[in-house]
Amino acid sequence: MNSPFRTKTVEQSIRDTEEPEHALRKSLSAWDLTVFGVGVIIGTGIFVLTGIAARNNAGPATALAFVAAGIVCALAALCYAEFASTVPVAGSAYTFSYASIGELPAWIIGWDLVLEFALGTAVVAVGWSGYVRHLMDTNLGWTLPTSLSGPDAGGHFDLLAFLLVLVLTWILVVGTKLSARITAVVVAIKVTVVLLVIIAGLFFIKSDNYSPFIPPAQPQAEGVSGWHSPLVQLLFGYEPTNFGVMGIFTAASLIFFAFIGFDVVATAAEETKNPQRDMPRGILGSLLICTVLYVAVTLVVTGMQKYSEMSPTAPLAEAFKSVNQPFFSGAISLGASVGLITVCMILLLGQTRVFFAMSRDGLLPRVFSVTHPKYRTPYRATVLLGVVIAVVAGFTSLEKLAELVNIGTLFAFVVVALGVIILRKTRPDLHRAFRTPWVPVVPILSIAASFWLMLNLPAETWLRFGIWMVVGVIVYFAYGRQHSRLGQVGADAKY
């Protein structure tokens, strides 16, 4: 029990959920989880990052980049579904790693998820702000002062993103079921907007915009968006490019952000009425629905407007504006601005649940694992993280945040896939309501595909991620290891 690789059994994890002071309310169904998944997956990736990827990296072939990213996510989703139905405890990949690989790897992945969900929330808040400003400018004639429009608009502070995160923090404190009801309404609006883009956009497609479908490869300049890690050149011996076949993978590593969401669904396992049955349905169902919609939207939008002219901030709305359809442009801006709210809220929910789980295990101060006496939500962690993320969203640009979120998510996928293989070997006796097919082939493919997309991210992203991980290891040995409940003996451990 003194080893940093000590594991916390599934039985211990489940017993933790029964402590009244640290228990979450079980109120979510399979429908709620699917809505959560669709609500968080359809967001900044399709409404914002599509324009960046098409313009800088892949052109019309961005649709193939969505397919590539979707395949990577599908492999990981099969692993997540097994874990979420076997270990129905808050914390997602953190909890799964604790039960299979050990405490230090679990801490590292939890520390990674704190970064992923926090910055993911900030990315979406900034994307939402851009769509709201576009809606205000185009349809209402209102213009925010540049200084309050955020770094992406040449300002210093993004007031709208900051206020959005604070409001959503309050909603999450009041209760998860309220969040689910709000999400259901907003998801209906968002899916309607996506279908509007697909159906209405079909009438404005110009075949010339698809030529060439895969633009000729162009050398990448160091420091620009999509610059590969030197690891790619070292390991595979080719010069990184924008466009061309390899540009598709560069785009996939960026728009991969569009798919994060099903892993957030896994963080709500402890608040699900029947997690063994409903978690796999919510995870796999939401991913399938969104992949189909993503590919369809991308094909329509790149057919409406030449990829080189696409907007990096509001591509869907600007595509309709380019064909003189201001009504559709305004409707899309309105739908996107409403729809991105749920993405932000669910990412924030995932962040607080991982933080809550780590605190309940003693790896972070236990004060943050106390739930509200009335709402049964981790209100202390929610308020703390909400304020911090609001400040980050106010001062940071969108693209740099998205790249850092992607590498954190992909790293989590690698660890979860590895955990499935290990837990199959160490605990074959566990009841698994859902079993990942073809183990270990599928987990190994998931690890390889995730690592490949990680290699296609910028070198500076690897550097920032490495620094964050080093800080996390220091915090673990300075605080977490000594305060871990698993490492304690006697009444405090309650095991």
Side-chain angles (χ1 to χ4, degrees):
M1 295 307 291
N2 291 326
S3 168
F5 292 93
R6 56 200 174 199
T7 57
K8 180 180 178 182
T9 68
V10 174
E11 291 79 8
Q12 289 170 337
S13 297
I14 294 175
R15 279 200 297 272
D16 277 353
T17 68
E18 298 168 355
E19 297 177 4
E21 188 180 19
H22 306 285
L24 298 173
R25 177 174 293 162
K26 296 182 181 293
S27 59
L28 301 178
S29 64
W31 171 253
D32 292 326
L33 294 173
T34 303
V35 169
F36 266 154
V38 174
V40 72
I41 295 173
I42 297 181
T44 299
I46 190 65
F47 286 127
V48 179
L49 295 179
T50 302
I52 297 174
R55 182 170 179 162
N56 298 337
N57 304 120
T62 299
L64 298 180
F66 272 113
V67 173
I71 292 173
V72 174
C73 289
L75 293 171
L78 292 171
C79 299
Y80 267 88
E82 174 170 323
F83 258 131
S85 61
T86 307
V87 192
V89 179
S92 186
Y94 159 75
T95 301
F96 308 156
S97 302
Y98 213 161
S100 58
I101 305 176
E103 183 174 274
L104 178 57
W107 164 266
I108 290 174
I109 198 64
W111 188 252
D112 166 59
L113 290 174
V114 167
L115 177 73
E116 173 197 336
F117 291 148
L119 296 188
T121 305
V123 168
V124 179
V126 172
W128 173 83
S129 175
Y131 260 99
V132 171
R133 291 197 308 272
H134 179 272
L135 180 65
M136 291 167 57
D137 292 346
T138 305
N139 298 280
L140 302 176
W142 299 347
T143 304
L144 276 180
T146 302
S147 59
L148 297 178
S149 298
D152 289 311
H156 303 293
F157 182 74
D158 196 326
L159 178 63
L160 294 178
F162 175 80
L163 293 177
L164 173 66
V165 176
L166 292 184
V167 171
L168 295 180
T169 298
W170 173 80
I171 292 175
L172 289 177
V173 168
V174 170
T176 307
K177 192 61 181 180
L178 173 62
S179 307
R181 289 169 181 162
I182 294 174
T183 300
V185 174
V186 176
V187 165
I189 297 173
K190 185 159 48 177
V191 171
T192 300
V193 169
V194 171
L195 294 176
L196 175 66
V197 171
I198 296 171
I199 296 171
L202 287 172
F203 297 96
F204 302 101
I205 290 177
K206 298 178 182 177
S207 58
D208 291 345
N209 290 332
Y210 289 132
S211 182
F213 189 75
I214 302 179
Q218 300 175 5
Q220 291 183 349
E222 182 173 324
V224 303
S225 172
W227 175 44
H228 288 59
S229 165
L231 286 173
V232 172
Q233 297 178 56
L234 177 65
L235 296 175
F236 303 99
Y238 72 86
E239 291 294 326
T241 64
N242 277 325
F243 305 108
V245 174
M246 299 315 301
I248 295 173
F249 293 104
T250 306
S253 67
L254 175 64
I255 61 175
F256 175 81
F257 179 83
F259 285 94
I260 67 169
F262 68 84
D263 56 332
V264 181
V265 173
T267 66
E270 192 174 326
E271 295 162 272
T272 304
K273 296 175 184 177
N274 189 346
Q276 287 78 13
R277 180 196 66 191
D278 296 341
M279 291 305 301
R281 293 180 180 180
I283 292 172
L284 297 171
S286 57
L287 180 62
L288 176 62
I289 292 169
C290 294
T291 301
V292 172
L293 292 176
Y294 278 178
V295 173
V297 166
T298 306
L299 287 172
V300 168
V301 172
T302 53
M304 292 176 61
Q305 187 177 27
K306 194 67 177 177
Y307 70 88
S308 57
E309 301 172 358
M310 292 188 70
S311 166
T313 55
L316 274 61
E318 288 296 329
F320 278 93
K321 193 174 179 181
S322 70
V323 294
N324 299 315
Q325 296 295 322
F327 170 77
F328 290 115
S329 177
I332 291 168
S333 291
L334 177 61
S337 60
V338 172
L340 290 176
I341 293 174
T342 60
V343 184
C344 192
M345 180 169 64
I346 299 168
L347 284 172
L348 184 57
L349 174 114
Q351 155 75 313
T352 58
R353 270 42 178 186
V354 172
F355 200 88
F356 166 80
M358 296 173 72
S359 172
R360 188 167 59 186
D361 289 332
L363 300 181
L364 290 171
R366 291 264 290 169
V367 66
F368 293 112
S369 65
V370 175
T371 54
H372 194 281
K374 177 180 178 182
Y375 303 121
R376 309 309 304 172
T377 57
Y379 66 106
R380 294 174 180 172
T382 303
V383 171
L384 170 68
L385 295 168
V387 172
V388 171
I389 295 169
V391 173
V392 171
F395 287 103
T396 314
S397 67
L398 184 145
E399 189 170 348
K400 298 301 180 186
L401 286 173
E403 291 169 348
L404 199 53
V405 171
N406 287 352
I407 195 169
T409 307
L410 288 164
F411 179 67
F413 286 3
V414 169
V415 175
V416 168
L418 182 61
V420 167
I421 298 174
I422 293 175
L423 202 61
R424 283 284 187 98
K425 294 290 185 182
T426 58
R427 292 297 306 274
D429 58 302
L430 284 176
H431 171 67
R432 292 168 169 84
F434 177 88
R435 297 176 67 89
T436 303
W438 304 310
V439 173
V441 175
V442 168
I444 290 173
L445 288 175
S446 178
I447 292 170
S450 298
F451 188 65
W452 170 249
L453 287 190
M454 290 174 72
L455 290 177
N456 281 273
L457 287 167
E460 61 184 25
T461 301
W462 278 87
L463 178 61
R464 293 188 185 112
F465 181 69
I467 292 172
W468 178 257
M469 289 292 102
V470 169
V471 172
V473 172
I474 293 173
V475 172
Y476 170 75
F477 283 102
Y479 179 88
R481 189 179 183 189
Q482 285 73 27
H483 294 83
S484 166
R485 295 181 67 201
L486 190 59
Q488 294 173 0
V489 206
D492 288 339
K494 295 182 182 177
Y495 293 147

